[in-house]
């Protein structure tokens, strides 16, 4: 097996470990669905990378050239009450890499991981020209198909159950400018590799790998424009694994590796004023620093539609 392919094998675990919905009415933001209203999201995202970090050393992809990843996401949010929302989503993912890979390694395509979650508005404090609020969310995800979790960088996902506890605080000014901060602890279970032995600071004669947990965080500066017709955001996101080993030289990465990264992004969501409930959104994200991670850039676009489910 080519060294560069072996070295990149598993790097998309980094991106998958940093799963955060930066979209509409999601577990990571301050927006809440009104009671008995539902919002559907359809989103498409294209991501690619041709550089990666070997430990803390940035390298250029070798034989597999530019790795490409396409994700189509369907997600729904529903207001159980004015303070409690429920979420569900499932993505379809396809992967490949460009020339000079030349077809030596096939990509993959299929359903990735389903997710379900709850978000609760804990408090809101109103001031004369501002407001301050806090939220808590719980999100669970697991594989939705029998994909190969260690066929990286083409694998669809981690192949492990994940449970994320998240807290979000939000401060909004009368001008429409707002600040948001969030932090999450993400528990990750075991994934089954397609081999019976691996090394992780010692020999393990088992296909089951313990995927390290992580701390995820996000800081966002945003503004509502034209009342509430358009919102735009600048964000900084990161992940720090709570354990894990480094990729060893001349060896393939694996799910036990420590994955750290930092990412910046821009986001915009426009709500049509003449078509009630309809909105369009766009986003761009770039990984700027990492450890055992791909230097991934991604561009996304989507559509939302919100309506009352029960009168």
């Amino acid at each position: 097996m080519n060294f560069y392919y072996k070295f990149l094998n598993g790097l998309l675990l980094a991106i998958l470990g940093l799963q955060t919905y930066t979209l509409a009415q999601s577990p990571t933001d301050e927006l809440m669905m009104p009671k008995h209203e539902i919002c559907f999201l359809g989103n498409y995202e294209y991501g690619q990378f041709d550089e990666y970090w070997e430990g803390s050393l940035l390298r250029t992809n070798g034989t597999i050239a530019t790795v490409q990843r396409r994700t189509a996401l369907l997600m729904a949010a529903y207001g159980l009450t004015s303070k409690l929302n429920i979420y569900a989503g499932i993505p379809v993912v396809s992967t490949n890499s460009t020339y000079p890979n030349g077809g030596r390694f096939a990509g993959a395509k299929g359903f990735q991981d389903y997710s379900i979650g709850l978000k609760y508005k804990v408090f809101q404090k109103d001031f004369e020209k501002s407001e301050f609020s806090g939220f808590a969310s719980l999100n669970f995800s697991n594989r939705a198909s029998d994909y190969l979790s260690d066929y990286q960088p083409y694998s669809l996902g981690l192949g492990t159950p994940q449970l994320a506890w998240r807290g979000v605080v939000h401060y909004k000014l009368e001008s429409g400018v707002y600040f948001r901060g969030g932090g999450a602890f993400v528990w990750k279970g075991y994934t089954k590799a397609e081999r019976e032995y691996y090394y992780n600071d010692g020999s393990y004669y088992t296909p089951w790998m313990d995927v390290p947990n992580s701390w995820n965080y996000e800081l966002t500066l945003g503004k509502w424009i034209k009342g509430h017709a358009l919102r735009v955001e600048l964000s900084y996101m990161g992940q720090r694994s709570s354990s894990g080993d480094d990729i060893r030289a001349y060896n393939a990465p694996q799910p036990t590796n420590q994955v750290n990264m930092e990412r910046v992004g821009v986001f915009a969501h426009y709500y049509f004023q003449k078509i009630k409930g309809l909105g369009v959104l766009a986003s761009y994200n770039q990984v700027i620093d990492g450890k055992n991670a791909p230097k991934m850039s991604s561009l996304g676009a989507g559509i939302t539609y919100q309506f009352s489910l029960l009168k």
Side-chain angles (χ1 to χ4, degrees), residues 7 51-60 289-293:
F7 200 84
E51 292 181 299
Y52 60 95
W53 283 275
E54 171 191 315
S56 299
L57 177 64
L58 183 63
R59 291 184 178 273
T60 301
D289 195 18
K291 182 179 183 183
N292 305 314

Side-chain angles (χ1 to χ4, degrees), residues 162-237:
Q162 300 184 52
L163 189 63
W165 294 267
R166 177 175 285 103
V168 176
V169 291
H170 175 256
Y171 183 69
K172 180 184 175 183
L173 300 173
E174 188 178 51
S175 63
V177 174
Y178 60 87
F179 306 90
R180 184 174 68 242
F185 176 74
V186 185
W187 171 87
K188 301 169 187 176
Y190 286 82
T191 188
K192 188 176 183 180
E194 286 68 51
R195 46 189 164 125
E196 299 294 329
Y197 167 83
Y198 66 92
Y199 185 87
N200 174 20
D201 296 328
S203 296
Y204 291 80
Y205 293 90
T206 175
W208 292 99
M209 293 183 173
D210 188 3
V211 182
N213 303 326
S214 68
W215 291 94
N216 296 357
Y217 50 90
E218 178 180 358
L219 296 173
T220 300
L221 170 63
K223 180 174 174 57
W224 288 96
I225 300 173
K226 296 182 179 180
H228 280 71
L230 172 67
R231 67 183 177 113
V232 294
E233 295 183 351
L234 298 175
S235 62
Y236 169 82
M237 296 158 278

Side-chain angles (χ1 to χ4, degrees), residues 7 53-57 199-201 243-249 251-254 256-260 290-293:
F7 200 84
W53 283 275
E54 171 191 315
S56 299
L57 177 64
Y199 185 87
N200 174 20
D201 296 328
S243 62
D245 58 343
D246 278 337
I247 300 171
R248 294 183 298 141
N251 280 265
Q254 58 192 28
T256 62
N257 293 149
Q258 182 183 48
V259 176
N260 299 335
K291 182 179 183 183
N292 305 314

Side-chain angles (χ1 to χ4, degrees), residues 27-195:
T28 66
D29 65 26
E30 79 288 353
L31 300 182
M32 297 292 293
M33 294 297 301
K35 183 178 180 180
H36 295 163
E37 288 198 16
I38 191 168
C39 181
F40 286 98
L41 162 72
N43 192 73
Y44 176 82
E45 184 175 84
Y46 170 81
Q48 67 175 38
F49 73 93
D50 57 12
E51 292 181 299
Y52 60 95
W53 283 275
E54 171 191 315
S56 299
L57 177 64
L58 183 63
R59 291 184 178 273
T60 301
N61 289 4
T63 304
I64 65 172
T66 299
V67 177
Q68 300 175 325
R69 185 177 186 87
R70 299 167 178 85
T71 303
L73 171 68
L74 179 63
M75 182 179 176
Y78 177 69
L80 293 172
T81 72
S82 61
K83 291 187 176 182
L84 180 63
N85 286 184
I86 186 170
Y87 301 85
I90 187 167
V92 176
V93 177
S94 65
T95 61
N96 67 279
S97 62
T98 60
Y99 182 86
N101 176 40
R104 295 185 182 90
F105 304 107
K109 182 178 181 180
F111 288 103
Q112 190 210 50
D113 299 343
Y114 68 85
S115 64
I116 55 175
L118 294 170
K119 181 169 70 173
Y120 181 72
K121 188 173 186 178
V122 180
F123 69 87
Q124 178 173 321
K125 178 67 174 178
D126 295 320
F127 302 97
E128 183 178 352
K129 294 185 177 181
S130 63
E131 65 178 46
F132 181 58
S133 52
F135 307 81
S137 69
L138 179 66
N139 193 78
F140 174 78
S141 63
N142 203 359
R143 63 165 62 209
S145 64
D146 191 25
Y147 59 81
L148 303 179
S149 62
D150 64 347
Y151 182 45
Q152 301 290 341
Y154 307 109
S155 177
L156 305 183
L158 286 167
T160 180
Q162 300 184 52
L163 189 63
W165 294 267
R166 177 175 285 103
V168 176
V169 291
H170 175 256
Y171 183 69
K172 180 184 175 183
L173 300 173
E174 188 178 51
S175 63
V177 174
Y178 60 87
F179 306 90
R180 184 174 68 242
F185 176 74
V186 185
W187 171 87
K188 301 169 187 176
Y190 286 82
T191 188
K192 188 176 183 180
E194 286 68 51
R195 46 189 164 125

